Amino acid sequence: MAKPIPVEIRTKRTLIRVLAPEQAILRQRYFIENQRHLSPWEPRKPPQAMNLGFWTQFLLNTNQQYAEGSLLPLTALTPDESQVIATCNFSNIVYGVFQACHLGYSVAASHQGKGIMYEVATAAIEYLFERYQLHRIMANYIPTNQRSAVLLKRLGFVKEGYAKSYLKINGRWQDHVLTSLINPAHKS
C-alpha cells in the first residue's frame, strides 16, 4: 500500500485528518460512546465493532482506499487529538466525465447542536473541491433526519430527488432525499 498524503485541516475548534491504523483506539471509543446516538442513521455494525482489532482493520481498509484515490476518510479531533468529535467521509470518488463523490458524516452526541458538523463539513468540502477538483458532491439523508436536512441546506446542497428503499440503515431499507452541491469554481 502506498503511504497516503497526510491531511491536516485546522478549524476554529477541531483538527481534521485521516487517522492512521495506530489511532484505532480513537475510532473505537467514538463508536462505543455514540453507538446509540448514531445507530438510527447508520448501517448496523457487527458485534466485533466493540473490539480494537475491528477498528484497526477498518482504518487499514480506509487508508488503502484513500491511497487508491476512491475515499477521503476525514476525522475531526479535539485540538489535543485525544477525542474524535465528528467524521466526514467523501466516498465513491469518481473522475472522468462524472467528477463526483458521496458525502457521509456523523457528529458525537456530546457535540451535537453546537455547529461542529457545519464547521467540519465546510472545511472538508473546501479542501475536497480545491485538492480533488471534483465537480459534484452528493449527500443523501433519511427524510426524518431533520438535523441532516438543515445542515445540508445550510451548506448549500440542493434537493434533487427522492429514492425509495435506497440504503439499508439500522437493519432496514430506508428512503432517502437526494441532494448535491456543485463546485462553485465549476458553475457556468
Side-chain angles (χ1 to χ4, degrees), residues 2-145:
K3 186 168 177 112
I5 299 167
V7 174
E8 186 170 299
I9 305 166
R10 291 196 181 271
T11 71
K12 189 175 182 179
R13 298 176 285 177
T14 71
L15 172 63
I16 304 168
R17 64 179 43 202
V18 176
L19 290 184
E22 298 78 36
Q23 296 173 296
I25 188 80
L26 295 171
R27 277 307 302 262
Q28 180 194 31
R29 272 193 246 141
Y30 181 74
F31 170 73
I32 291 169
E33 291 168 4
N34 294 286
Q35 188 175 10
R36 178 176 285 173
H37 164 64
L38 296 175
S39 67
W41 317 115
E42 294 186 340
R44 283 195 180 150
K45 302 275 190 299
Q48 300 89 327
M50 299 301 280
N51 303 326
L52 184 58
F54 175 89
W55 293 103
T56 300
Q57 188 60 54
F58 173 85
L59 290 175
L60 284 167
N61 293 344
T62 59
N63 275 266
Q64 176 67 43
Q65 292 172 57
Y66 174 49
E68 293 167 356
S70 64
L71 175 69
L72 178 58
L74 299 175
T75 301
L77 304 162
T78 53
D80 66 0
E81 300 184 56
S82 65
Q83 182 184 19
V84 173
I85 55 178
T87 65
C88 190
N89 299 301
F90 299 95
S91 61
N92 306 317
I93 296 173
V94 177
Y95 292 96
V97 296
F98 196 39
Q99 297 181 25
C101 67
H102 285 93
L103 167 63
Y105 50 85
S106 68
V107 65
S110 61
H111 287 81
Q112 187 172 304
K114 299 177 182 178
I116 289 284
M117 196 67 251
Y118 177 78
E119 181 179 322
V120 168
T122 298
I125 289 167
E126 184 179 300
Y127 178 87
L128 178 93
F129 276 155
E130 184 178 305
R131 179 72 120 202
Y132 288 69
Q133 293 295 305
L134 295 182
H135 176 68
R136 168 189 294 267
I137 300 172
M138 298 166 290
N140 310 313
Y141 64 91
I142 297 170
T144 56
N145 189 341

